[in-house]
Every structure is written in structure tokens, then in C-alpha cells.
Amino acid sequence: MLIDEFYRIGADAIHEHDFNRSFTVTGVVQSWSGPVVQWRPVRGKRAARDPEFDHLRPVAVLDALARTLAHRWVHGRPLCPLDWKQRLTSGMPRLFPFEPEVGNGWVWLIAAAANHLSAIDTCNDMRTNELKEKYGTLRWDIASVEFHQEADEYTSCVDRLSGYICEDCGAPGQIQALRGWDRCVCHKHAVPSIC
């Protein structure tokens, strides 16, 4: 399941298809944050570049995805704690001065990013200005006294990946129009519930 999710989300996030992958999984190693997918690029035909996301390196996107899935699968079967928003804001109050306005499926994406950002700059001067869903993807705006290229690239990768991860459960998903709103959902959550 972990490797399947890595291929499905990774291929879509860097605009590749299963028959034309530009990476291959070489293994999974255990870490403190969970099982980390190891991968390597495959030389060969590349998909056309997407001008909107040209500034993102596919390597950075796939590294962010490996970190995210490690957090998602750390306890085996992915289960989202109901109080994850409170845990996030109490655990890193300077980075998260308020609770995110997003669904539970993005908990692992945000948690992995928070851990990585804290390693970049120890989060001493980073502060979230905005963390919400807009047009089916995560919008994360971080302010900092100093500009951190790696932090900027990483939050852009997180925003990009959110368009391929179900906001409700964290499984592979895609942006769909549901009741007039764009949301990133898996096939299970694409069907509106009956009220």
C-alpha cells in the first residue's frame, strides 16, 4: 500500500503516468518518522513541463512525498488522531499560532512539513500566516525574518502534493467539483454524503 501510494501520488504530482514513470522505488527503510520510501530517477522520456510549477524540482516533490507517507504509515494502518490540530498548535506554537482550516487527510502532509521546516531553521523565526484549503489544494503562507529558499520550496511542494492527496482521509486523490466546490478527494469521498 505504501509503495502504491508513492507511485500514484508521485506520478501525478510530477505529471507522469504509470506507463511513463521518471522514478522507481528501490526500497523502504525505517526511520523515527516511519517507513521512508527510497527511490531513484529513471533516465528516459520525460513528460512536458508544466509552466505553473516549473520552479518545483521533481526531486523535491518526491522527497516531500516520501516524508509525508512516512508520517502517514508510522503506526501501520493510517489513523488520524481526532485532536491533531490541537497537538500541532500546542507542539509548535510559534510555527502554528492557530489551528489549520483543512481536513483531516492532510495531517500527515502538514506534520511532515513542520518537522522538516523545524530542521531547516529550528522554526525560531518562521510563523504561519495562513494555512487553509483553496480551490482544492493547501495554501500555506509562512513569514520569516530571513528568507529561506529551502523552506519556500518545501511549502510549495506541500501545496503541490495536496492536489493529489484526499483532504478527508489522506489516500491518493484528485481535485473534483463537489456541490460547486473544488476539493481534492479519493474515489471513496468523491460521492457526496446524503444528509
Side-chain angles (χ1 to χ4, degrees), residues 22 28 33 71 83 102 105 135-136 144-145 150 156 160 175 182 191:
S22 64
V28 176
S33 62
H71 274 71
D83 64 342
V102 298
Y135 301 118
S144 179
V145 173
E150 189 176 354
S156 294
R160 173 76 170 175
I175 297 174
D182 286 341
V191 180

Side-chain angles (χ1 to χ4, degrees), residues 3 25 47 58 65 96 98 117 132-133 163 170 189:
I3 293 173
V25 171
L65 177 59
F96 298 104
F98 55 87
L117 292 174
K132 66 180 184 177
E133 177 275 334
H189 292 106

Side-chain angles (χ1 to χ4, degrees), residues 36-142:
V36 178
V37 174
Q38 302 289 298
W39 61 276
R40 67 176 172 77
V42 174
R43 307 223 186 275
K45 187 176 175 185
R46 294 264 188 204
R49 291 181 149 274
D50 181 349
E52 184 179 350
F53 294 102
D54 251 0
H55 66 282
L56 291 179
R57 298 175 302 125
V59 169
V61 174
L62 294 176
D63 283 344
L65 177 59
R67 286 186 182 95
T68 298
L69 293 179
H71 274 71
R72 178 169 155 75
W73 290 95
V74 69
H75 299 296
R77 183 172 172 226
L79 295 172
C80 177
L82 296 176
D83 64 342
W84 73 271
K85 292 178 183 181
Q86 293 85 12
R87 288 185 191 187
L88 189 68
T89 54
S90 66
M92 296 184 164
R94 289 190 55 78
L95 183 58
F96 298 104
F98 55 87
E99 291 184 8
E101 299 174 23
V102 298
N104 293 340
W106 287 343
V107 60
W108 301 286
L109 192 59
I110 295 167
N115 286 335
H116 184 68
L117 292 174
S118 67
I120 292 172
D121 186 56
T122 66
C123 286
N124 288 332
D125 67 337
M126 287 187 201
R127 183 178 176 90
T128 298
N129 286 335
E130 186 174 58
L131 183 59
K132 66 180 184 177
E133 177 275 334
K134 187 172 183 180
Y135 301 118
T137 62
L138 182 70
R139 301 298 166 93
W140 192 354
D141 177 36
I142 293 179

